[in-house]
Amino acid sequence: MKLIGIARAHTNIALIKYWGKRNKELFLPMNSSLSLTLDAFYTDTKVTFDDALTEDSFLLNGEAQAVEETNKIAKFLDLFRQQMPEYYYAKVESLNFVPTAAGLASSASAFAALAGACNLASGLNLPIDELSTYARRGSGSSTRSLFGGFVEWDMGSDSDASSSRAHFIDDASWDIGMVIIVVNNQKKTVSSRLGMEQTVATSPFYPAWVETAKTDLAQMKQAIQAKDFKTLGEITETNGMKMHATMLGANPPICYFEPESILAQQQVRQLRELGIPAYMTMDAGPNVKVLCRASDMPRIKGELSKVFDESRLITSLPGEGVISLSEA
Ligand code: DP6
């Protein structure tokens, strides 16, 4: 017997960052976060639970993945299999749709699409907010990719892990866009998992990060409600920089900036001097993401291409939440 589910999920970029776990096993974060789901990058995943299989397998872009990767997927599948009447091994096939050379293949869309496909194949059909608590166990940031537009991942309470889940805030349909400046498309040197662990354990600035992330989030939610783009952008930029500042305070220090990241940051400030509202954020890598007005994207691309090759500038509109690609 074969049980099949196919789902698509888009990646998201955090505007209030998630950086640090209070429980590693359950992926419970130290602070709530808020993101924008992006239309340009997504993952399609097909899960086939099959009683004829004798082991799990995982194919990414048509290539069989190593044991370590497959084991991670198997552990994730178990979250669903525990709820199913019978245990089936599975074949997992994923396709990452990321513009060439972007280097942005992210665990966020990967685990969100996998959760979506498992939800369909297993027949559990959980509501999306509950499904986000499953995605969370694959990778924290994927919690937010279950929804489109602006999404909050509520850190939840210690007494109830299932309260750490995502919810929809706003569809971001008020002229919001993002330009990604690809500085380097290589795999990151320090994984976010390790980077955040090291920061929580050693950075003296970490408590201040947790404290100010709370006020940043509250103010950002107000700005979104008021459709106040300037305040949204300013908080995005300061929150992202504060996350990197806490990392620089870790021992040993963690620095994801490369010389061209700094150049990109200067260019974003330059855009503002030209009167174009544009604000930057960076994650656990050297690329710079520019939050802007969607209608300004052609002009921003034009300005940035004076410094960066056009092939390294990717524009995106807000994306939608997880969708089923299974036949009805
Ligand atoms: C800087 O979600 O990749 O992008 O939960 O350990 O898988 P794990 O980490 P991950 O961390 C994302 C960190 C970030 C900020 C963010 O997306 O909120």
Side-chain angles (χ1 to χ4, degrees):
M1 189 169 75
K2 282 188 169 69
L3 301 169
I4 299 174
I6 314 173
R8 170 174 299 174
H10 293 80
T11 197
N12 71 79
I13 300 298
L15 309 182
I16 300 288
K17 304 295 185 189
Y18 142 58
W19 196 250
K21 298 181 181 70
R22 61 184 200 278
N23 180 321
K24 275 181 237 162
E25 182 57 29
L26 296 175
F27 288 76
L28 295 176
M30 288 287 225
N31 64 283
S32 300
S33 52
L34 194 152
S35 59
L36 176 66
T37 300
L38 295 185
D39 178 56
F41 315 95
Y42 58 94
T43 303
D44 284 353
T45 294
K46 177 178 181 183
V47 170
T48 310
F49 290 114
D50 185 345
D51 58 2
L53 293 173
T54 53
E55 59 177 12
D56 292 322
S57 63
F58 173 39
L59 272 86
L60 178 59
N61 298 331
E63 272 181 45
Q65 298 297 295
V67 184
E68 201 186 318
E69 280 305 304
T70 309
N71 285 348
K72 244 189 251 172
I73 300 292
K75 200 172 158 205
F76 186 81
L77 294 170
D78 283 342
L79 298 173
F80 290 85
R81 287 191 283 224
Q82 281 156 11
Q83 315 285 324
M84 292 166 70
E86 270 181 84
Y87 193 98
Y88 296 112
Y89 286 108
K91 181 177 183 184
V92 176
E93 297 157 275
S94 282
L95 293 173
N96 260 335
F97 293 88
V98 178
T100 17
L104 291 167
S106 98
S107 57
S109 58
F111 280 101
L114 182 60
C118 285
N119 196 31
L120 295 164
S122 64
L124 284 181
N125 296 318
L126 302 166
I128 301 299
D129 60 335
E130 196 177 339
L131 186 62
S132 77
T133 68
Y134 285 65
R136 192 191 81 222
R137 304 279 296 272
S139 183
S141 51
S142 72
T143 313
R144 299 179 308 240
S145 272
L146 271 304
F147 291 100
F150 292 117
V151 183
E152 181 183 358
W153 170 16
D154 188 332
M155 65 185 284
S157 67
D158 283 341
S159 54
D160 175 15
S162 80
S163 61
S164 183
R165 56 174 65 192
H167 63 261
F168 171 82
I169 297 263
D170 180 277
D171 64 9
S173 64
W174 36 288
D175 198 16
I176 302 287
M178 194 167 261
V179 179
I180 290 121
I181 306 173
V182 180
V183 163
N184 183 332
N185 59 17
Q186 301 305 306
K187 215 172 139 70
K188 43 192 146 182
T189 43
V190 180
S191 72
S192 32
R193 203 154 296 184
L194 204 72
M196 61 177 83
E197 206 176 312
Q198 214 163 286
T199 310
V200 176
T202 65
S203 177
F205 308 141
Y206 193 72
W209 157 258
V210 174
E211 223 20 69
T212 60
K214 263 186 230 157
T215 34
D216 287 351
L217 177 69
Q219 286 169 7
M220 184 174 283
K221 286 198 315 198
Q222 276 175 8
I224 291 172
Q225 208 183 5
K227 299 192 175 18
D228 175 353
F229 183 75
K230 185 167 182 278
T231 306
L232 171 69
E234 284 171 357
I235 301 172
T236 297
E237 194 162 301
T238 49
N239 183 272
M241 285 297 154
K242 276 190 281 190
M243 177 185 74
H244 287 277
T246 50
M247 295 184 208
L248 288 169
N251 185 11
I254 302 159
C255 181
Y256 289 108
F257 293 2
E258 288 185 12
E260 285 205 325
S261 315
I262 306 283
L263 182 65
Q265 292 177 12
Q266 285 166 344
Q267 292 308 305
V268 175
R269 282 186 217 107
Q270 186 80 32
L271 289 171
R272 290 205 288 267
E273 271 161 36
L274 293 172
I276 307 170
Y279 302 89
M280 67 192 126
T281 187
M282 286 177 66
D283 293 295
N287 299 331
V288 175
K289 290 113 185 183
V290 188
L291 180 72
C292 60
R293 291 297 198 179
S295 54
D296 283 333
M297 289 198 298
R299 192 163 162 221
I300 290 177
K301 234 181 139 176
E303 287 300 326
L304 293 176
S305 63
K306 293 176 186 162
V307 178
F308 296 97
D309 192 87
E310 216 169 306
S311 64
R312 292 164 62 186
L313 302 172
I314 302 164
T315 56
S316 183
L317 291 170
E320 59 183 340
V322 69
I323 52 165
S324 164
L325 301 179
S326 293
E327 283 155 30

